[in-house]
């Protein structure tokens, strides 16, 4: 899978009697192999959008098509399988397991998918090489800097060879130099391996160096560099 189409997506959160319209009629198509950024102020709905694209969350209304198939019609087992096999996630806070070393963290997703353990180990080592962390395989997360932990998280997100990589503020907690390196790595995945890469960021320089930028405001798409200006801001 690689193409995602959102049609008229809304997401409402109910909290203490209030209804929050986190997404309000969002329609968006992300084609296979695109290298895209999603920007907008805090609270504009970026994380909600990413979680819906990644099938981590169901919309209140509207449809999500994954390679033309309506995700809502998929049984939960199949959704979970897609998440595990075809979608990689990178979160701002890394979400590494503190008790596992670097290699253990990168190989963790393989525990749930079977496959040959030696192949998995070789692949994990190759990814750690690619992210410049092969000399830290035995370190635990608390022995690494933020940028190093994020590199490990990126390696982990790629262990299953996802067709789609969703990154939520992946450079939010690292220095500028590291952010530029991480971005290069993500661009390479799109360009060289055809992975669809969507990055949520509040860094406009970073956004400008992706191929397409979608801007959210109050849960609506107000600008999409791939097409027309969608609505007056
Ligand atoms: N679990 C939740 N319960 C209630 N409100 C939420 C929840 N998650 C997000 N929101 C609200 O939905 C809106 C969009 O949030 P979010 O998608 O996290 O935005 P962003 O990632 O752009 O900061 C915000 O107003 C936020 O407070
Ligand atoms: Mg967010």
């Amino acid at each position: 899978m690689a193409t995602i189409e959102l049609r008229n997506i809304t997401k409402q959160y109910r909290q203490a009697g209030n209804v929050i319209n986190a997404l309000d009629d969002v329609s968006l198509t992300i084609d296979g192999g695109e290298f895209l950024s999603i920007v907008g102020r805090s609270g504009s709905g970026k994380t909600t959008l990413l979680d819906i694209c990644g099938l981590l969350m169901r919309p209140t209304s509207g449809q999500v098509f994954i390679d033309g198939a309506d995700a809502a019609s998929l049984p939960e087992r199949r959704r979970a399988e897609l998440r595990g096999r075809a979608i990689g996630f990178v979160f701002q806070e890394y979400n590494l397991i503190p008790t596992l070393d670097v290699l253990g963290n990168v190989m963790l997703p393989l525990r749930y998918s079977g496959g040959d353990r030696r192949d998995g180990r070789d692949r994990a080592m190759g990814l750690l090489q690619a992210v410049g962390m092969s000399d830290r395989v035995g370190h635990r997360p608390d022995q690494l800097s933020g940028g190093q932990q994020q590199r490990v998280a990126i390696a982990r997100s790629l262990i299953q060879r996802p067709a789609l990589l969703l990154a939520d503020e992946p450079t939010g907690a690292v220095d500028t130099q590291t952010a530029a390196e991480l971005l290069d790595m993500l661009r390479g995945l799109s360009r060289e391996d055809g992975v669809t890469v969507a990055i949520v960021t509040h860094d406009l320089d970073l956004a400008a160096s992706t191929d397409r930028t979608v801007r959210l405001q109050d849960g609506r798409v107000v600008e999409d560099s791939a097409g027309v200006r969608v609505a007056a801001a």
Side-chain angles (χ1 to χ4, degrees):
M1 59 144 279
T3 298
I4 308 170
E5 184 185 353
L6 304 180
R7 272 192 218 160
N8 307 110
I9 294 291
T10 68
K11 176 68 187 183
Q12 298 177 336
Y13 295 107
R14 274 159 225 282
Q15 204 178 38
N18 290 321
V19 176
I20 296 161
N21 293 304
L23 293 176
D24 179 12
D25 197 22
V26 169
S27 295
L28 182 70
T29 300
I30 304 174
D31 284 326
E34 273 205 77
F35 184 54
L36 164 135
S37 53
I38 299 164
V39 300
R41 290 210 184 118
S42 178
S44 58
K46 305 183 297 297
T47 294
T48 302
L49 184 71
L50 213 66
D51 287 352
I52 287 174
C53 286
L55 309 182
L56 287 172
M57 182 189 277
R58 290 177 188 267
T60 304
S61 65
Q63 291 167 294
V64 181
F65 293 88
I66 306 280
D67 277 348
D70 184 350
S73 69
L74 300 172
E76 189 50 49
R77 206 173 56 101
R78 174 83 181 121
R79 287 169 65 94
E81 194 221 349
L82 270 177
R83 271 196 304 270
R85 189 193 306 282
I87 307 176
F89 295 93
V90 180
F91 303 97
Q92 180 172 1
E93 296 305 329
Y94 329 126
N95 292 355
L96 298 177
I97 307 295
T99 51
L100 292 178
D101 66 15
V102 162
L103 185 62
N105 267 284
V106 175
M107 290 183 67
L108 187 64
L110 299 174
R111 278 195 195 174
Y112 310 104
S113 65
D116 185 81
R117 207 174 150 75
R118 180 126 45 91
D119 285 352
R121 191 175 196 284
D122 289 348
R123 179 159 168 74
M125 290 301 292
L127 286 166
L128 286 166
Q129 181 93 45
V131 300
M133 290 296 294
S134 53
D135 57 346
R136 294 285 195 282
V137 292
H139 285 56
R140 284 196 324 271
D142 66 2
Q143 299 170 317
L144 303 174
S145 72
Q148 289 174 328
Q149 290 185 61
Q150 194 58 297
R151 286 162 202 265
V152 174
I154 290 175
R156 179 186 55 185
S157 76
L158 298 173
I159 191 77
Q160 305 265 56
R161 295 189 176 83
L164 169 65
L165 186 70
L166 301 172
D168 197 351
E169 312 235 15
T171 62
V174 303
D175 61 84
T176 321
Q177 165 74 19
T178 304
E181 287 170 16
L182 292 175
L183 188 70
D184 282 345
M185 192 184 302
L186 297 175
R187 185 185 295 108
L189 284 168
S190 158
R191 296 261 197 288
E192 282 140 43
D193 304 315
V195 177
T196 308
V197 178
I199 307 169
V200 162
T201 183
H202 56 259
D203 179 340
L204 295 183
D205 287 337
L206 187 158
S209 64
T210 62
D211 298 335
R212 174 184 175 193
T213 301
V214 170
R215 178 181 300 278
L216 290 181
Q217 186 176 304
D218 299 331
R220 302 184 70 102
V221 175
V222 292
E223 204 175 327
D224 182 347
S225 68
V228 292
R229 211 165 265 267
V230 177

